[in-house]
Amino acid sequence: MVHSSALLRYANKFTKNEDDAEDLVQNTLLKVYKYRSKFVKETNVLGWMYTIMKNTFLNDCRRNSLVLKYMDHAKATQNINNASVSNNGEGMFIQKEIQNALESLPEIYYKPFIMHFEGYKYHEIAKYFNIPEGTIKTRIHAARKALQNKLKEHKLNY
C-alpha cells in the first residue's frame, strides 16, 4: 500500500484514464498479495510490482481484444441474420445448442477451454491447474474437436 501512489502514476501512463488506472492498481495489488510468497527478499519490490502491473495490463488488453473480435464477429453474424429471412427463435435455439455443447464437455476439458477462450495463455492455464502446458494444449484441442463435432450441423466451429 505504501507504493500505491507510485503505482497509480505508472498505471496512468498505460491507461491514460484515471478510473482505468485505479482499477489496474487494484488488480495489481491483489496479484501482489496473492503472489507475495514468490517475492525474493532484498530485491526491488517496486520493480516487481511494476512488472506485475505491466503484465496485468497486457493480459487485460489481450482479453479485451479477443472480446472485441468476438463482438465484431457476433455483430457481423447478426447483420447477416437480419438481412435474411429468419426468426429470433432460430438464434436462441443455436445459442442453446452452443450452451448445451459446452456443458456436455467433461470438466477437465471445459475449464481450460473457457480460460483459453477468455484470453489466458497456455502457460498461465497450466500454472493455474499445476499440470504441464502440453496437457493443457491437448485438453483445449480435445474440447475444440468435441464442440466442432457437436455443432457441425450448425457450422458453428470454434
Side-chain angles (χ1 to χ4, degrees), residues 29-139:
L29 290 173
L30 286 171
K31 287 183 181 181
V32 165
Y33 181 76
K34 181 178 180 181
Y35 297 111
R36 67 189 181 279
S37 64
K38 296 186 186 275
F39 176 70
V40 178
K41 289 183 171 47
E42 299 179 7
T43 60
N44 183 357
V45 70
L46 195 54
W48 180 66
M49 294 169 98
Y50 283 161
T51 301
I52 291 172
M53 178 179 285
K54 179 189 70 168
N55 290 338
T56 300
F57 177 76
L58 292 174
N59 287 338
D60 288 348
C61 286
R62 237 181 260 115
R63 260 182 234 110
N64 289 340
S65 71
L66 284 172
V67 167
L68 289 174
K69 188 186 302 181
Y70 173 75
M71 287 174 57
D72 287 344
H73 175 72
K75 189 183 285 185
T77 303
Q78 183 180 17
N79 289 341
I80 290 170
N81 287 339
N82 289 343
S84 65
V85 177
S86 66
N87 61 34
N88 289 337
E90 181 181 347
M92 290 174 66
F93 174 75
I94 292 171
Q95 198 171 24
K96 184 69 174 160
E97 288 292 314
I98 293 170
Q99 187 64 35
N100 288 340
L102 282 169
E103 289 173 359
S104 73
L105 289 174
E107 193 167 326
I108 65 168
Y109 299 135
Y110 176 80
K111 285 185 177 182
F113 176 80
I114 292 299
M115 287 179 75
H116 181 67
F117 182 76
E118 290 174 346
Y120 288 94
K121 292 186 171 193
Y122 292 122
H123 73 281
E124 293 171 325
I125 302 168
K127 188 175 184 180
Y128 177 81
F129 287 106
N130 197 26
I131 57 177
E133 189 175 325
T135 303
I136 290 297
K137 289 179 180 179
T138 301
R139 289 180 182 179

Side-chain angles (χ1 to χ4, degrees), residues 138-154:
T138 301
R139 289 180 182 179
I140 292 170
H141 178 76
R144 278 190 186 131
K145 288 298 178 190
L147 290 172
Q148 285 174 348
N149 286 335
K150 291 176 191 222
L151 300 172
K152 66 183 168 191
E153 65 191 47
H154 300 291

